[in-house]
Amino acid sequence: MAPLNVGIVGATGAVGKEIIGCLENCRSFPIDNLRLFGSKRSAGRKIDTSKFGNITIELFSEDSARECDVVFLAVDGDFSRAHAENICKGGDGAIVIGNSSAFRYMEGIPLVVPEINAETTKGKKLIANPNCTTAIGLMAVWPLHKLFGLSKM
């Protein structure tokens, strides 16, 4: 896989900081450039990262986010609904991974825990993920489901 240009919208919040930390520790996700996006209040601030150096937070715009290959949305559902589809639309749009509840139950948008159903992302530009407690629970239950075919819990 070629190194990617990755953006994080909402980089100064708790979820955004966690995504930065995950990307710093991930060896199998090659990143050429990490861009951090925030609000007017956050724009211009610098965040020091161990892997990507000192990064200046950019004021969010859909056009800037579309310059990325992959964009993580670490923002609320209203913001996600207002911007996600514009960031990913067309052949030149970014792949958008939403962390809010905005797209979790929408037809045609995969709800993904990569270790379980990553294949559902093929050909998709907008991807949802479950909340953190659900993802953690699924990681524990998935092997049991594969062995015993759980139908409910």
Side-chain angles (χ1 to χ4, degrees):
M1 174 189 290
L4 300 169
N5 184 14
V6 174
I8 302 172
V9 180
T12 60
V15 174
K17 289 176 183 177
E18 188 65 27
I19 293 170
I20 293 168
C22 289
L23 294 176
E24 285 186 304
N25 294 317
C26 185
R27 295 183 186 153
S28 61
F29 190 71
I31 298 173
D32 184 48
N33 185 40
L34 180 62
R35 296 176 68 181
L36 306 178
F37 300 102
S39 65
K40 288 180 185 177
R41 187 181 59 215
S42 299
R45 286 184 32 206
K46 294 186 183 297
I47 292 183
D48 189 37
T49 68
S50 59
K51 185 175 183 178
F52 307 107
N54 204 1
I55 303 172
T56 301
I57 298 171
E58 302 174 47
L59 179 61
F60 168 79
S61 75
E62 290 177 359
D63 289 337
S64 294
R66 286 177 59 82
E67 294 170 359
C68 297
D69 300 309
V70 176
V71 174
F72 290 92
L73 294 181
V75 293
D76 66 35
D78 290 337
F79 189 97
S80 294
R81 279 187 288 280
H83 299 287
E85 292 177 304
N86 291 331
I87 295 169
C88 69
K89 76 177 173 187
D92 60 342
I95 293 170
V96 174
I97 301 170
N99 287 286
S100 75
S101 62
F103 302 105
R104 288 185 183 150
Y105 301 105
M106 291 186 84
E107 187 73 29
I109 298 175
L111 180 60
V112 177
V113 176
E115 296 83 355
I116 297 173
N117 65 337
E119 73 282 353
T120 64
T121 65
K122 301 290 186 225
K124 300 294 185 176
K125 298 283 291 256
L126 181 53
I127 300 163
N129 68 353
N131 71 27
C132 53
T133 56
T134 301
I136 292 167
L138 287 172
M139 292 301 294
V141 171
W142 180 246
L144 298 172
H145 173 69
K146 287 183 357 186
L147 284 172
F148 303 110
L150 301 177
S151 58
K152 68 180 188 175
M153 39 180 267

